[in-house]
Amino acid sequence: MDVARIGRESGPAKRTDDIGQRRPVPPTTVRRLSTYYRVLGTVQADGQPNVSSETLASLTGFTAAQVRRDLAYFGSFGKRGVGYAVAALRQRLAAILGIDRGWRIGLVGVGNLGRALVAYPGFNNQGFDVVAAFDSDASVIGSRVNGQFVRPVAALENAVRDEQIDMVIVTVPAAAAQQVVDQAVAAGVRAILNFAPTQLRVPSRVQLSNVDLAVEVEYLSYSLAG
Amino acid sequence: MDVARIGRESGPAKRTDDIGQRRPVPPTTVRRLSTYYRVLGTVQADGQPNVSSETLASLTGFTAAQVRRDLAYFGSFGKRGVGYAVAALRQRLAAILGIDRGWRIGLVGVGNLGRALVAYPGFNNQGFDVVAAFDSDASVIGSRVNGQFVRPVAALENAVRDEQIDMVIVTVPAAAAQQVVDQAVAAGVRAILNFAPTQLRVPSRVQLSNVDLAVEVEYLSYSLAG
DNA sequence: CGATGTGAACGCTTTCACAGCA
DNA sequence: TGCTGTGAAAGCGTTCACATCG
């Protein structure tokens, strides 16, 4: 299936767009947009000017009807008999997803997972700028990640406030996660992406997403065991 | 929300259990079982003999009705007026998820992400034994991961066949993923967990799950941009 | 003609609300 | 009495099927 999702985010998923009443966009649709954006990159690299919903379906593993429905939530970008203009659609998706804004990201926890995320295709130089990194391990502090010196976690709160950090990615051990989040929230962060396998509490004005890397392996295990 | 899921797995999610007709278990339920299993560990460490659905709800972020419905798919483990016996329920969940079987895992791609996964709580010594690791980078081959020497990717096919590897975790660059998967499939692997941001093709007898780490950040970005 | 955009039907999940049992 | 287990209802998301239009 897809990625493993866990827990509960805060805040609604509603959204209205430019003109007129727009139906509420399902969270599942938003997650698929991310994939459309990625595969459009490869289609664009191939030099194709247009794609059909059928092609996008086979490239993503979704259905053609899903593709058309998903895109139609945001307007009518397609030409009947032709398909979607690749470059224009990709640009539009970037705007919808907000990944054309250069969000300022703080990374807390610079272990293997933190470093892997920064290097993951689609993270850096893709609308997300990791502008600060923090860790509690003295042997890591002072080293560099994405060109940034790693600072002690104690510096997080002031950094979020002073350096306009929009989003914090938490890749610390579960036991340390709530404390990290409390500091980030106190300093006014707007969104948190949590990889620690623990349930975090944040005020409703802060967007929270959880990723539990164990969920998908266990899902596969269940499938095999069945 | 939860983990980012992408693409499409192969194979059905059906499952019947011991005696009698059992309703089909929703995939969403299976993914939540994973979380129940985890939080039951902390409840057990606290020495609580029983938990209510209400408590499990607040520990996971799901609703009490969801908890009861999810568990009821597999039988009646609860005592009315009391709740669920923590240790027994946890053990039962391990059996249902199949994480009490010591699946033999092969890790292909020993970069930061691969190393992070092996170290992630709930991976190793939790029903998953990483018994072999592979990489194409000569500077990594011969180093150790989880006590195993890293071997060249060319050794994958024979290893899967000769060492009864059940599942392969793919953390190689997107461009190399399909080739790795083809080898694993040819050698008879039963399940694949893919972290490369690309759509893989496998025969329907092979279980495939995809995790795209970019999906959840982009979902948060969308929420902020809204 | 060909592929989009979309009502309407369908099926899957969640939620409600309470009967039933320890 | 308290909390589970579960019919029934409600809510979402997907799929179908086709009118529509470039």
Side-chain angles (χ1 to χ4, degrees):
Chain A
M1 233 169 245
D2 310 291
V3 183
R5 293 174 293 170
I6 295 198
R8 159 174 292 166
E9 290 87 78
S10 58
K14 289 178 186 176
R15 179 197 179 99
T16 45
D17 219 300
D18 25 43
I19 12 167
Q21 286 297 74
R22 189 80 69 186
R23 280 189 239 182
V25 179
T28 54
T29 288
V30 177
R31 292 202 167 78
R32 283 192 295 265
L33 295 185
S34 204
T35 306
Y36 301 143
Y37 179 78
R38 170 167 58 76
V39 305
L40 282 170
T42 74
V43 173
Q44 196 170 21
D46 286 355
Q48 306 288 339
N50 297 290
V51 258
S52 65
S53 58
E54 203 65 62
T55 301
L56 280 174
S58 79
L59 291 174
T60 57
F62 310 136
T63 69
Q66 272 180 321
V67 172
R68 294 198 299 274
R69 177 82 60 195
D70 286 343
L71 298 179
Y73 278 110
F74 302 95
S76 299
F77 317 138
K79 287 194 180 75
R80 294 169 199 240
V82 178
Y84 302 90
V86 174
L89 177 57
R90 187 155 198 263
Q91 198 164 0
R92 190 75 164 77
L93 287 178
I96 291 167
L97 287 169
I99 58 181
D100 57 351
R101 307 194 181 194
W103 297 114
R104 296 174 63 81
I105 311 276
L107 176 71
V108 192
V110 189
N112 283 315
L113 184 55
R115 291 181 192 274
L117 288 174
V118 170
Y120 202 76
F123 252 70
N124 217 43
N125 297 327
Q126 192 85 75
F128 302 101
D129 296 335
V130 176
V131 297
F134 308 87
D135 204 297
S136 62
D137 183 346
S139 71
V140 175
I141 293 168
S143 72
R144 282 178 178 247
V145 169
N146 197 47
Q148 305 293 328
F149 284 111
V150 178
R151 319 177 206 177
V153 175
L156 172 64
E157 197 161 340
N158 282 335
V160 168
R161 209 181 324 260
D162 299 345
E163 298 166 38
Q164 295 93 44
I165 290 175
D166 302 296
M167 193 188 299
V168 159
I169 297 178
V170 178
T171 52
V172 301
Q178 185 65 54
Q179 193 183 348
V180 162
V181 165
D182 289 345
Q183 288 178 53
V185 166
V189 84
R190 299 178 59 201
I192 290 167
L193 180 56
N194 174 44
F195 285 83
T198 185
Q199 173 74 0
L200 298 175
R201 275 170 308 170
V202 298
S204 61
R205 70 182 154 76
V206 177
Q207 301 285 337
L208 172 66
S209 280
N210 296 289
V211 179
D212 185 333
L213 295 175
V215 168
E216 286 301 306
V217 221
E218 297 187 356
Y219 184 87
L220 277 180
S221 172
Y222 172 87
S223 305
L224 290 186
Chain B
M1 235 168 252
D2 310 290
V3 181
R5 293 176 296 170
I6 295 199
R8 159 174 293 165
E9 290 90 78
S10 58
K14 288 177 187 175
R15 179 197 180 96
T16 45
D17 220 300
D18 27 43
I19 13 167
Q21 286 296 75
R22 189 79 71 188
R23 280 189 238 184
V25 179
T28 54
T29 288
V30 176
R31 291 204 166 75
R32 283 191 296 265
L33 294 185
S34 204
T35 305
Y36 301 142
Y37 179 78
R38 169 167 59 74
V39 304
L40 283 170
T42 74
V43 173
Q44 196 170 21
D46 285 356
Q48 307 288 339
N50 298 290
V51 258
S52 66
S53 59
E54 203 64 65
T55 302
L56 280 174
S58 80
L59 291 173
T60 57
F62 309 137
T63 70
Q66 273 179 321
V67 173
R68 294 199 298 275
R69 178 79 65 194
D70 286 344
L71 298 179
Y73 278 109
F74 302 95
S76 300
F77 318 138
K79 288 194 180 73
R80 292 167 199 240
V82 178
Y84 302 89
V86 174
L89 177 58
R90 187 153 197 264
Q91 199 165 359
R92 190 75 165 78
L93 287 178
I96 291 167
L97 287 170
I99 58 181
D100 58 350
R101 308 195 181 194
W103 297 114
R104 297 173 64 80
I105 312 275
L107 176 71
V108 191
V110 189
N112 283 315
L113 184 54
R115 291 180 192 274
L117 288 174
V118 170
Y120 201 74
F123 253 72
N124 216 42
N125 296 328
Q126 192 86 73
F128 302 102
D129 296 333
V130 176
V131 297
F134 307 88
D135 206 297
S136 61
D137 183 346
S139 72
V140 175
I141 292 168
S143 72
R144 282 178 179 247
V145 170
N146 197 47
Q148 305 292 329
F149 284 111
V150 178
R151 318 177 207 178
V153 175
L156 172 64
E157 198 162 338
N158 283 334
V160 168
R161 210 183 321 264
D162 299 344
E163 298 167 38
Q164 294 92 45
I165 290 176
D166 302 297
M167 193 188 298
V168 158
I169 299 178
V170 179
T171 52
V172 301
Q178 184 66 54
Q179 194 184 347
V180 162
V181 164
D182 289 345
Q183 288 179 52
V185 166
V189 85
R190 298 178 60 201
I192 291 167
L193 180 57
N194 174 45
F195 285 83
T198 186
Q199 172 75 0
L200 298 175
R201 275 170 307 169
V202 298
S204 61
R205 70 183 154 76
V206 177
Q207 301 285 336
L208 172 66
S209 280
N210 296 289
V211 179
D212 187 332
L213 295 174
V215 168
E216 285 301 305
V217 222
E218 296 186 358
Y219 184 86
L220 277 180
S221 172
Y222 172 86
S223 305
L224 290 185

